[in-house]
Amino acid sequence: MLINNDTIVKDTDPIIREKSEIVTLPLSKEDETLLREMLQYVKDSTDEEKAEKMNLRPAVGISAIQVGVKKQMTAVVVDDLDKNGEPEHFEYMLVNPRIVSSSVQKAYLHSGEGCLSVVNQHDGYVVRSARITVKAFDLCTNKDITIRARGYLAIVLQHEIDHFSGILFYDHINKKDPFKEVEGALVI
Ligand SMILES: [Zn+2]
C-alpha cells in the first residue's frame, strides 16, 4: 500500500471516527505486510530527504485506521531519554494493544499533540496518564509483550490506541480553557 500524506485518511473523512476490529493471530500475510509498511512509513518520515521526496509528514506513530484499514494495529518509533538522561529507542509493531493499567498521575506535552490525520491546528493540552502498562502482540519481536511506558512513550501509545476507538487528540482538549494546568501532572 502506498502510504503518504495524500493517502492518509484525514479527520474530514468519517472513517477516522470508526472503531477498529481485533486482529486474528497469527497474522495473515496481508496484515503483516501492512503493519511492516506502517513501520516503514514512520521511519522514513523522520528522514528529511526521504520525507521530502516521498511526501511524508513526520510522525512517531501511525494506526491502521489512518490508512483506511479498521484493524487494531499500530506502529510506533520513539526516541527519548531515560531517567539518567541516556538515549532510549523504542520501536513497536503492535497488534491488539490493550492498556491494562494507568497511573493516577497525569501527563501532557507542553507543545500539544499533532496527528497525521489532523490538518487544522488544535492548540491546547492533551491530558493523559503519565504511566501505562500495555499488553500486545509485537511483530518486531514476534511475541506477546508487556510495555511499561512512561512519559513521551506513554503519551504516544495512548494517542495511537485512541485511534482504535475513533478518538482524536483534540477530543481531550479542555474546550473552555485549553491551556488549563493540571495539578501534579508531568509536563513533557
Ligand atoms: Zn494520530
Side-chain angles (χ1 to χ4, degrees):
M1 184 185 292
L2 175 68
I3 307 176
N4 65 30
N5 198 30
D6 293 328
T7 64
I8 286 171
V9 176
K10 305 300 187 303
D11 60 352
T12 45
D13 185 336
I15 193 183
I16 204 72
R17 293 296 188 176
E18 289 188 25
K19 297 214 180 336
S20 297
E21 316 246 307
I22 288 177
V23 180
T24 312
L25 290 167
L27 285 181
S28 66
K29 267 275 159 280
E30 191 189 351
D31 288 343
E32 180 174 336
T33 302
L34 175 63
L35 191 46
R36 291 191 187 284
E37 286 169 344
M38 287 161 52
L39 181 74
Q40 198 58 48
Y41 174 93
V42 178
K43 287 181 160 184
D44 290 344
S45 78
T46 51
D47 177 319
E48 258 180 59
E49 225 169 90
K50 280 187 185 168
E52 162 117 44
K53 211 185 304 170
M54 298 159 71
N55 180 27
L56 316 176
R57 231 178 112 192
V60 288
I62 188 170
S63 290
I65 191 77
Q66 296 182 277
V67 294
V69 177
K70 288 185 269 179
K71 291 186 176 177
Q72 296 187 10
M73 301 199 294
T74 186
V76 164
V77 180
V78 167
D79 284 292
D80 200 7
L81 298 175
D82 70 11
K83 286 174 192 152
N84 304 316
E86 298 292 326
E88 279 184 302
H89 180 77
F90 302 98
E91 205 170 298
Y92 301 109
M93 287 187 281
L94 302 178
V95 181
N96 305 330
R98 289 275 166 282
I99 297 172
V100 295
S101 71
S102 313
S103 65
V104 174
Q105 189 190 18
K106 300 294 179 188
Y108 54 87
L109 303 180
H110 188 254
S111 59
E113 294 185 20
C115 179
L116 292 171
S117 297
V118 177
V119 183
N120 295 334
Q121 208 172 322
H122 295 265
D123 294 325
Y125 297 145
V126 180
V127 180
R128 301 187 184 275
S129 295
R131 292 174 301 284
I132 54 167
T133 303
V134 173
K135 286 186 185 291
F137 173 77
D138 175 37
L139 184 60
C140 287
T141 49
N142 215 25
K143 45 185 187 197
D144 291 321
I145 59 165
T146 301
I147 306 167
R148 286 179 183 83
R150 54 167 193 84
Y152 189 44
L153 177 64
I155 299 274
V156 173
L157 289 172
Q158 287 169 87
H159 176 121
E160 296 308 328
I161 291 170
D162 266 356
H163 275 300
F164 302 159
S165 311
I167 298 169
L168 296 170
F169 74 86
Y170 52 79
D171 300 343
H172 295 288
I173 296 174
N174 184 324
K175 307 263 173 320
K176 288 188 190 126
D177 190 358
F179 294 100
K180 188 176 181 186
E181 297 196 5
V182 179
E183 211 183 295
L186 180 70
V187 183
I188 302 164

